[in-house]
Amino acid sequence: MKKVLSFLLAIIMVISLCITGFAMETSSKLDGEPSDWARSEIREALAYGLVPESVNGNYKQDITRSEFCDLIVNLIEVISVKSIDDFVNAYSEKLENVSFPDTDSATVLAAAKLGIVNGRTSGSFDPDANITRQEAAKMLALTAKVVGESITSESGAQFADKDAIYNWALEYVNYVYAQGIMKGTSTGENPNFSPLRTYTREQSILTALRLYGVLYKYYPTPTAIPVPSTPIINTLPTDAGEAGDVRKLEPMTLTEYDVLTIKDGVFMLEGKPFVEISFNKFDLLWQIIDPLLVGDMATYNSMIKKQEQSLKELNEMGFRSIRVFMAPWGPYDVKKAWYNPKNGESLLFKAIDEVVRMCEENDIKIVWCMGLTGFVEKWIESDRNGWHWAYGDYHMRELIADENCVARQEMYKYLDAVIQRYRNSKAVLTWEFANEITLSADILPGEKVYEGERMPTLEEIAKFFDDVAARIRLNDPLRLINSGGSSMREHQWNLYVNNKWQLDLKSEQYKALELLYKDRGCDIIDIHWYANNTLGPVVIDDETYNNVNLGLADYMEFAKEIGKPLMVGEIGIMPMADTPNYFADNSDVEKAKPFFQRQLDEIVDAGVQLSYWWQYGSDRPQDEGVGQFTLRKGLDDELLQMIIDANKRLKEKYNAN
């Protein structure tokens, strides 16, 4: 919903939470007893809504061709957040209508229309026949293909019974085996695949869950992403200048009284508790720097006036801080802006100067998201199949894990320059590394590569937090530091420790946070939170082994145990169309109110001291219109008033008025 990689990953997290909530309403029981080896993964598949009613039970029974269509069509609906009819209608390839004399099943016909399944040579479908393992491999692979995955495999698996696999199935078997979606039926260097053996419901459910882990990355697809004509690489131009030597800095003019501090677990500013529910004004800088980068001064001047008005409105409503992405959109633009001096001055600093001035004049402080992951060596390329990322030598893994790599050193120069320039401004509330770095941890299982980009481990991210926090403190020893990290993925500890998409225990979620924050460089534990129509992410209870929701109160307990305050850097209620008992747009105030109230009550009741609602007054075209969740004074006054009232209640709770 925001910048490129973080945009993709952030929406993926939000959709995952939405899917989880949908799953809890549709299918959350274990009818009959699965095999012990399948139990935990079936429970996880149920939590994600991946088990249609037709296969939810009698798990050891062989699955039929029709039931397998139910399973994979349901998977497409969950992963795309669309009905199968909408998915088929939006599919880019021309599709022919299909019919069979022996079934009118909607899922069978949809799967056939998408080319995932075929009929028999007689023209029938044979819906009640058992599916074979090689047929399952084909359907799983072609499901991945229609969602967007390339299913070619560089080398085939060396199965002992390779000759028994039909030629038409070999490509698909190689793909599902290489991705870990299907496994062999024996162990050893050359296992058997048993292509003609039947496939049980529990085996099918597990492979659907694994395929979900592979396809998780594809939705939602951004509708419009700017495409640069040439890549920007991580080599600092000679005219960009060097950051100042941090050992030669003049003393700071501010004192601890002027900046946010922590006393007895409570945020303090100017001698008083500082708590609030405020807003992300994430695109404040973007709206100013984008026209600068293309020399459109008329739009630049117009946008300054618009942003000044937004800040004035926030001040009048009683808000004293906002969270802002204080780096341009995407890895391409952060370098383009900083490495583009005009008359000896960076365009980036020209735009940031305006943001700081406006915030100072309106007595609003900034949770300053520095966008440090913008120094990976990546860019966007476009061809007839759409846009895709291209990469140089320095991926996310190198930036995070290798403190001596070029990308890290360029990032430090940028960090030094920004903090040295603005550290004496009272507009800075905290320094934040970047948005949702934690979502890149251990993705994807196996080689830890996501869409061609090498990704770091959770431990490497924890060490990166320490390194960057130390660098920030060389420049600014007074300010508090937060990571910008999201909530943990529901599988995070198992991704890190076991290298698999397995739902974490509640205690394992704590371990992931503990690794990142306990006795580490960040002063604040920060998460992002979009419960929407659910009660929060799903994990497994340590005692009952039932699925349970993690709430803000749980995170407050985690934070207390770790010994650092909790901040929710993003929180909000996202409109969603075609969702039963929910609202599709903020204009449907009466339907929206209960969900807003529940979320606001949870913040106040849990005592979360700082949280930033997504979002206020965005001027981006994609954030306007039906279904968006930007709030604006004059359009969403009732919903805004609810946030204002909750903010007052929180302040009263901490005697912060």
Side-chain angles (χ1 to χ4, degrees):
M1 65 191 176
K2 310 181 283 271
K3 57 270 142 216
V4 183
L5 175 62
S6 297
F7 171 90
L8 292 172
L9 294 174
I11 289 288
I12 286 169
M13 179 198 73
V14 173
I15 287 177
S16 173
L17 294 177
C18 300
I19 290 169
T20 303
F22 175 75
M24 292 177 66
E25 293 181 2
T26 57
S27 183
S28 58
K29 60 184 185 301
L30 286 175
D31 290 340
E33 288 298 319
S35 301
D36 289 341
W37 54 265
R39 186 180 305 277
S40 65
E41 287 180 285
I42 288 178
R43 181 177 285 113
E44 186 172 1
L46 284 163
Y48 284 114
L50 299 176
V51 186
E53 289 297 328
S54 59
V55 297
N56 187 15
N58 298 318
Y59 296 104
K60 299 174 186 177
Q61 177 179 305
D62 289 338
I63 196 168
T64 67
R65 285 165 53 84
S66 179
E67 289 170 346
F68 204 83
C69 287
D70 293 343
L71 187 70
I72 57 98
V73 165
N74 180 73
L75 171 63
I76 291 172
E77 290 184 322
V78 169
I79 200 73
S80 68
V81 201
K82 293 179 180 177
S83 70
I84 192 61
D85 290 339
D86 288 344
F87 182 89
V88 169
N89 291 336
Y91 193 57
S92 58
E93 296 186 14
K94 185 177 180 180
L95 302 174
E96 301 292 337
N97 288 325
V98 180
S99 63
F100 299 105
D102 54 346
T103 183
D104 59 359
S105 164
T107 58
V108 169
L109 297 178
K113 192 171 185 178
L114 289 167
I116 294 171
V117 68
N118 299 319
R120 302 297 196 191
T121 55
S122 64
S124 65
F125 182 73
D126 202 6
D128 297 325
N130 294 330
I131 197 170
T132 65
R133 285 175 54 81
Q134 66 181 3
E135 288 175 332
K138 177 182 178 180
M139 292 178 69
L140 291 163
L142 290 177
T143 300
K145 184 177 181 180
V146 302
V147 169
E149 179 89 341
S150 171
I151 61 172
T152 57
S153 181
E154 294 182 0
S155 59
Q158 299 303 310
F159 293 112
D161 58 351
K162 182 176 180 180
D163 292 342
I165 303 172
Y166 290 2
N167 288 335
W168 58 260
L170 196 56
E171 174 189 7
Y172 310 124
V173 170
N174 285 338
Y175 169 75
V176 296
Y177 186 77
Q179 294 293 323
I181 297 167
M182 291 183 71
K183 301 178 180 179
T185 57
S186 62
T187 58
E189 186 175 349
N190 301 111
N192 287 313
F193 185 76
S194 305
L196 300 180
R197 184 181 295 180
T198 56
Y199 211 44
T200 65
R201 288 181 174 182
E202 61 188 0
Q203 290 172 324
S204 301
I205 292 168
L206 266 57
T207 51
L209 176 65
R210 295 168 193 154
L211 181 57
Y212 171 71
V214 173
L215 302 184
Y216 190 60
K217 59 195 175 189
Y218 284 102
Y219 283 87
T221 302
T223 56
I225 293 183
V227 180
S229 57
T230 56
I232 300 295
I233 62 173
N234 280 304
T235 302
L236 187 66
T238 57
D239 60 354
E242 295 288 337
D245 188 333
V246 297
R247 293 168 297 181
K248 299 178 181 178
L249 289 175
E250 294 297 323
M252 290 188 68
T253 59
L254 303 182
T255 68
E256 285 192 358
Y257 179 84
D258 303 303
V259 302
L260 190 70
T261 58
I262 302 168
K263 182 179 180 181
D264 298 328
V266 177
F267 291 119
M268 304 290 289
L269 182 65
E270 297 175 348
K272 297 179 293 186
F274 185 87
V275 302
E276 73 172 354
I277 303 168
S278 187
F279 286 94
N280 276 268
K281 188 75 176 73
F282 73 98
D283 62 345
L284 175 57
L285 175 69
W286 296 358
Q287 298 301 332
I288 294 172
I289 197 167
D290 286 355
L292 263 186
L293 292 176
V294 297
D296 183 356
M297 299 309 294
T299 301
Y300 168 75
N301 292 323
S302 172
M303 277 298 171
I304 288 178
K305 292 180 180 179
K306 283 188 175 182
Q307 304 312 314
E308 285 180 326
Q309 179 60 33
S310 287
L311 293 173
K312 181 181 178 182
E313 291 169 356
L314 288 167
N315 175 280
E316 291 172 347
M317 289 185 287
F319 301 109
R320 294 188 60 198
S321 64
I322 54 176
R323 179 171 176 263
V324 184
F325 295 151
M326 294 296 285
W329 185 89
Y332 169 73
D333 283 323
V334 66
K335 290 186 281 290
K336 178 181 177 183
W338 192 42
Y339 299 162
N340 189 5
K342 187 167 289 187
N343 298 323
E345 180 70 302
S346 162
L347 290 180
L348 177 59
F349 286 156
K350 179 177 175 63
I352 294 177
D353 285 351
E354 287 295 335
V355 171
V356 170
R357 175 191 63 79
M358 289 188 290
C359 287
E360 287 177 342
E361 290 178 356
N362 287 280
D363 193 25
I364 287 180
K365 302 184 184 303
I366 304 168
V367 175
W368 190 302
C369 184
M370 290 188 286
L372 299 181
T373 51
F375 284 84
V376 294
E377 191 177 9
K378 62 190 290 187
W379 56 90
I380 297 170
E381 291 182 349
S382 182
D383 54 31
R384 62 186 180 86
N385 295 317
W387 71 271
H388 60 88
W389 285 112
Y391 302 93
D393 294 330
Y394 304 106
H395 296 206
M396 182 73 82
R397 183 185 302 164
E398 284 72 31
L399 176 71
I400 297 297
D402 183 359
E403 62 182 341
N404 296 312
C405 76
V406 171
R408 178 79 77 90
Q409 296 309 307
E410 295 305 295
M411 184 203 79
Y412 280 151
K413 293 174 185 176
Y414 167 74
L415 178 156
D416 292 343
V418 168
I419 298 179
Q420 290 171 25
R421 187 180 184 95
Y422 299 106
R423 69 193 192 126
N424 280 313
S425 170
K426 289 187 177 182
V428 182
L429 188 68
T430 69
W431 297 115
E432 178 178 298
F433 302 149
N435 191 63
E436 298 180 342
I437 301 175
T438 52
L439 287 181
S440 66
D442 302 289
I443 302 297
L444 295 165
E447 296 182 354
K448 315 235 184 259
V449 175
Y450 172 82
E451 292 188 341
E453 183 175 11
R454 295 183 292 272
M455 291 297 187
T457 67
L458 192 67
E459 171 61 35
E460 288 168 341
I461 290 175
K463 178 63 166 57
F464 176 80
F465 285 180
D466 288 347
D467 293 345
V468 179
R471 185 76 175 210
I472 290 173
R473 289 191 176 98
L474 284 175
N475 288 282
D476 182 348
L478 295 181
R479 288 300 185 335
L480 297 181
I481 299 169
N482 65 291
S483 72
S486 181
S487 307
M488 295 294 98
R489 292 183 184 275
E490 295 164 322
H491 325 74
Q492 183 56 69
W493 192 252
N494 277 288
L495 285 170
Y496 171 56
V497 174
N498 299 319
N499 208 34
K500 63 190 295 187
W501 291 102
Q502 178 175 313
L503 209 60
D504 286 346
L505 295 169
K506 183 178 178 180
S507 61
E508 291 172 333
Q509 282 278 294
Y510 170 77
K511 288 179 182 178
L513 280 174
E514 183 181 51
L515 177 60
L516 290 172
Y517 296 108
K518 189 173 180 63
D519 301 322
R520 311 296 298 233
C522 291
D523 300 297
I524 302 167
I525 299 170
D526 52 341
I527 63 171
H528 294 175
W529 189 263
Y530 296 94
N532 298 319
N533 62 332
T534 76
L535 297 176
V538 173
V539 294
I540 298 174
D541 183 81
D542 289 74
E543 295 182 0
T544 66
Y545 287 91
N546 292 327
N547 291 340
V548 294
N549 295 100
L550 279 181
L552 291 182
D554 295 303
Y555 278 99
M556 287 292 286
E557 286 296 320
F558 290 165
K560 181 179 180 181
E561 184 69 23
I562 291 170
K564 295 181 178 179
L566 178 73
M567 178 175 79
V568 183
E570 292 179 17
I571 194 165
I573 299 295
M574 179 174 64
M576 295 183 292
D578 303 320
T579 302
N581 303 313
Y582 197 60
F583 68 104
D585 187 71
N586 285 338
S587 61
D588 193 350
V589 176
E590 293 307 313
K591 279 191 176 180
K593 276 183 175 180
F595 297 98
F596 271 65
Q597 193 63 60
R598 185 186 69 184
Q599 187 62 87
L600 292 165
D601 287 345
E602 185 180 14
I603 296 170
V604 176
D605 292 344
V608 178
Q609 297 177 55
L610 289 175
S611 58
Y612 294 91
W613 202 269
W614 191 275
Q615 57 177 318
Y616 186 78
S618 172
D619 293 303
R620 299 192 310 166
Q622 59 265 50
D623 292 322
E624 298 177 348
V626 175
Q628 300 306 317
F629 56 132
T630 291
L631 296 174
R632 291 181 175 83
K633 191 174 182 179
L635 291 177
D636 306 292
D637 289 347
E638 288 188 67
L639 298 177
L640 282 170
Q641 189 61 50
M642 294 175 71
I643 297 174
I644 292 169
D645 293 342
N647 187 35
K648 291 178 180 177
R649 287 193 288 131
L650 182 69
K651 290 178 182 294
E652 290 170 357
K653 185 168 187 171
Y654 282 93
N655 295 315
N657 289 317

